[in-house]
Amino acid sequence: MMRRRRDLPLVGPQPWAALVPADSFYARLAGLRDVLVDDAGDVALDKDSVRGRPSIPPSLVVLAMLLQYHDDCSDAEAEQRVRLDLRWKHALGLGLEDGGFDATVLCRFRRKLLDAGLERALFDRLVTAARVAGLIARDAAQLVDSSHVLGAAGVRDTYALIRSGIRRLLRALGYAGARRSELSARLGWYLDPAAPEKPDLDWSDAGARAAHLGALVEDARAALALVAPGAPGPAAADAAALLAKIVADDAEEGPPAGPKRRGRPPRHAPARLATPAPASPDAAGPPDAGPRLRRGVAPDRTLSVVDPALRWGHKSSRQRWAGYRVHLCEEPASELITAVRARPAPEHDAAAVVALVGGQGAAVGLRPGEVLTDGAYGTADARAALAELGVAVVAKLRPPTADQHIGKDAFAIDPAADGGRGSVTCPEGVTTTDRRMARDAKGRPVPLFRFPAAVCAACPRRDRCLGGPAGRAAQPVRAPPGRYVQLHFHEAALQQARAAQRTPEQRRALRERLRPRAKIERKIAETFRRPGLRRGRYLGLPKTDLHAVFTATTVNTKRLAVLIAADPERDRRLRQALAA
């Protein structure tokens, strides 16, 4: 079985240990080593050594991973530092002649952690011990923010994606070896080691590119036809689904759609827009009906074959990145990270905040009374969901009414009027109770209030309210109707947040409450820059999450060492909590 640290020969004090500065991370980690990690919770990682190789204590590998993420070094460099760096030897408790372990131990250990679900064990243990020791109050306010992680895989264009998808599917089906001769010449080219990665093509010729895309789509369909209707195996099934998604995302067929006309379409299509009769099978289709690149970007577009979860994320309309997004929670008094989670890049911040904050109760025993964050987390949906957990959201909402248009914020909404059906009053004092039901972007039923068209036509603010003489569309099909106001699914939570930010005094008080948010900006800089979390090391969301968790654990270990360095009583309580 895998050995425990207590089973290893004791290493006495080394004469070179005094060379390591006492206030460095390495010396402080050496002081916490005996209580920080424990092999008792790593039984799931034990494995019999069938070849008689020397076993490595899991606690030693965990400490080496903390040092690895602190110094931002690769597995091969970590192997060298365990063997040659006196600072690492002092932190790990190794002798001068100890050869350490091979770099592959780190790679296999990460996979074991993910398979056993233990990647968060040390992080949760540290936060729990900090709570028990009194460093973190159970219901203390927390700061929430996020930042991006650049993916480890490269972003490929459509042609390279389809070629890589075909190659991956053929290999998953077992054609990469001697069975390559069973394929056609065109499909066998994708598995030929001597074939060039990029075809010899005049990429400046649009016709040549279109012909090459048509050939790639045809080859993709031929490769998908090789998948048996039954159970092809999980690897082949995943490769087939990925290839089909790539083709659907990036290529389209049929006559190209005409330019979109802004405005509401007519109720009945005229005769000239009627659906044409089906063409004869012998008739030739239009020359541009073949596969072509899709106009625009498909939602949830795949960017890489080696990392299918890689996606584009947007900081703004002009700033984007390919990778993932990492969310952090920090307790401002102790400046400890209380929760960390990696999520897909396109996912909105508000979609992750409920699990990020609400999951702390079961994981580390924390139930924050409020979270201080920015407007991306302070949506009405997030406020309503966190309110059910007893968590208040302190965040700015978007600015009120714009100058060029009268927005919904300028209307007075009374949900209790008209017998509970509600009413809406416009800035001119006109009240409507014409309530209908509509669907929001998520398909949820929401109330929709409409004002009479005749009243809006005579209103002096008609241009600002409806968007101009022609309405909001530059070329409308017909004159716009009266103004309508659609309520939010959680309109009560939204109105409550609006009411707390309406006056200048309220907004000034909100800025004062949000002043501690500067601490999490510094924590993000500490977590992402020095340890190297800004650039992902591994492929896939699970390993990126492990990278984020261990980086946050390293940052918390540094902070805990600082907190207990000048307070012996705090040091005693923390060690007692870790040893419990």
Side-chain angles (χ1 to χ4, degrees), residues 67-194:
L67 292 170
Q68 177 187 15
Y69 292 122
H70 176 268
D71 290 359
D72 188 19
C73 58
S74 64
D75 291 351
E77 187 176 355
E79 174 190 350
Q80 295 298 320
R81 295 201 180 195
V82 172
R83 182 177 297 117
L84 304 174
D85 197 320
L86 294 181
R87 299 171 303 175
W88 281 48
K89 286 183 176 294
H90 179 57
L92 298 175
L94 301 179
L96 183 62
E97 298 181 356
D98 196 314
F101 47 81
D102 191 77
T104 57
V105 172
L106 294 170
C107 181
R108 295 175 180 175
F109 190 77
R110 286 192 296 269
R111 172 50 56 190
K112 285 185 176 183
L113 285 175
L114 291 173
D115 292 342
L118 296 176
E119 67 275 9
R120 296 179 177 272
L122 180 56
F123 176 84
D124 293 342
R125 184 164 172 260
L126 286 180
V127 178
T128 303
R131 175 185 58 80
V132 174
L135 301 180
I136 304 178
R138 184 185 299 270
D139 57 348
Q142 294 187 14
L143 313 175
V144 183
D145 208 342
S146 68
S147 191
H148 64 277
V149 176
L150 301 179
V155 178
R156 311 298 297 271
D157 57 32
T158 299
Y159 309 96
L161 278 176
I162 299 179
R163 289 196 300 267
S164 301
I166 295 174
R167 187 177 297 111
R168 176 174 177 173
L169 176 58
L170 294 178
R171 288 173 177 171
L173 292 174
Y175 291 102
R179 294 184 58 196
R180 184 162 64 91
S181 59
E182 302 177 15
L183 299 172
S184 62
R186 289 183 57 174
L187 290 182
W189 176 87
Y190 293 93
L191 299 177
D192 187 359

Side-chain angles (χ1 to χ4, degrees), residues 474-545:
Q475 298 178 353
V477 177
R478 64 176 182 268
R483 175 65 185 265
Y484 63 88
V485 177
Q486 178 174 306
L487 304 190
H488 197 276
F489 187 74
H490 296 293
E491 186 66 29
L494 186 60
Q495 292 299 322
Q496 182 180 2
R498 288 283 180 215
Q501 306 179 28
R502 200 170 300 277
T503 64
E505 293 76 13
Q506 290 175 326
R507 291 192 290 270
R508 189 180 305 111
L510 179 62
R511 287 195 299 270
E512 290 298 324
R513 291 186 65 189
L514 291 176
R515 193 174 295 277
R517 283 198 63 247
K519 292 185 177 182
I520 197 169
E521 299 292 345
R522 296 195 297 267
K523 186 63 66 175
I524 285 178
E526 178 186 3
T527 306
F528 281 78
R529 293 180 183 177
R530 173 64 188 274
L533 184 58
R534 179 66 68 201
R535 292 188 173 274
R537 293 170 172 263
Y538 317 113
L539 302 176
L541 182 59
K543 286 190 175 181
T544 302
D545 185 66

Side-chain angles (χ1 to χ4, degrees), residues 252-525:
E252 60 182 0
E253 296 183 81
K260 293 184 178 180
R261 183 183 181 187
R262 300 187 64 184
R264 182 175 298 180
R267 292 180 180 272
H268 303 286
R272 60 183 177 86
L273 297 180
T275 304
S280 171
D282 298 332
D288 51 2
R292 62 182 177 278
L293 293 179
R294 178 183 295 276
R295 294 181 58 184
V297 180
D300 196 38
R301 178 178 180 266
T302 301
L303 303 179
S304 173
V305 172
V306 296
D307 188 359
L310 192 71
R311 293 293 184 272
W312 285 117
H314 291 268
K315 181 68 174 178
S316 65
S317 59
R318 296 184 178 181
Q319 297 180 351
R320 66 175 184 174
W321 79 92
Y324 301 92
R325 189 188 303 268
V326 172
H327 302 265
L328 294 178
C329 284
E330 179 190 8
E331 199 276 318
S334 63
E335 299 186 17
L336 290 171
I337 300 174
T338 58
V340 56
R341 190 171 299 274
R343 297 299 302 161
E347 184 181 70
H348 196 273
D349 287 344
V353 67
V354 178
L356 190 70
V357 176
Q360 296 183 28
V364 295
L366 296 178
R367 298 183 181 275
E370 62 180 15
V371 292
L372 283 64
T373 181
D374 55 19
Y377 291 95
T379 62
D381 291 340
R383 291 174 185 269
L386 289 176
E388 296 179 357
L389 301 176
V391 182
V393 178
V394 182
K396 291 182 180 179
L397 294 174
R398 64 176 177 84
T401 305
D403 295 336
Q404 67 274 14
H405 177 66
I406 298 178
K408 171 190 169 184
D409 303 324
F411 291 76
I413 300 173
D414 186 1
D418 193 23
R421 291 177 55 85
S423 67
V424 176
T425 303
C426 74
E428 287 296 313
V430 179
T431 301
T432 181
T433 57
D434 183 2
R435 180 179 183 269
R436 309 177 186 185
M437 296 304 294
R439 295 279 179 178
D440 63 4
K442 298 182 179 180
R444 300 173 298 187
V446 292
L448 178 70
F449 290 87
R450 301 191 64 170
F451 288 85
V455 174
C456 292
C459 180
R461 300 191 185 185
R462 178 181 183 277
D463 292 352
R464 289 186 57 200
C465 191
L466 295 180
R472 298 186 182 181
Q475 298 178 353
V477 177
R478 64 176 182 268
R483 175 65 185 265
Y484 63 88
V485 177
Q486 178 174 306
L487 304 190
H488 197 276
F489 187 74
H490 296 293
E491 186 66 29
L494 186 60
Q495 292 299 322
Q496 182 180 2
R498 288 283 180 215
Q501 306 179 28
R502 200 170 300 277
T503 64
E505 293 76 13
Q506 290 175 326
R507 291 192 290 270
R508 189 180 305 111
L510 179 62
R511 287 195 299 270
E512 290 298 324
R513 291 186 65 189
L514 291 176
R515 193 174 295 277
R517 283 198 63 247
K519 292 185 177 182
I520 197 169
E521 299 292 345
R522 296 195 297 267
K523 186 63 66 175
I524 285 178

Side-chain angles (χ1 to χ4, degrees), residues 63 237 407:
L63 291 174

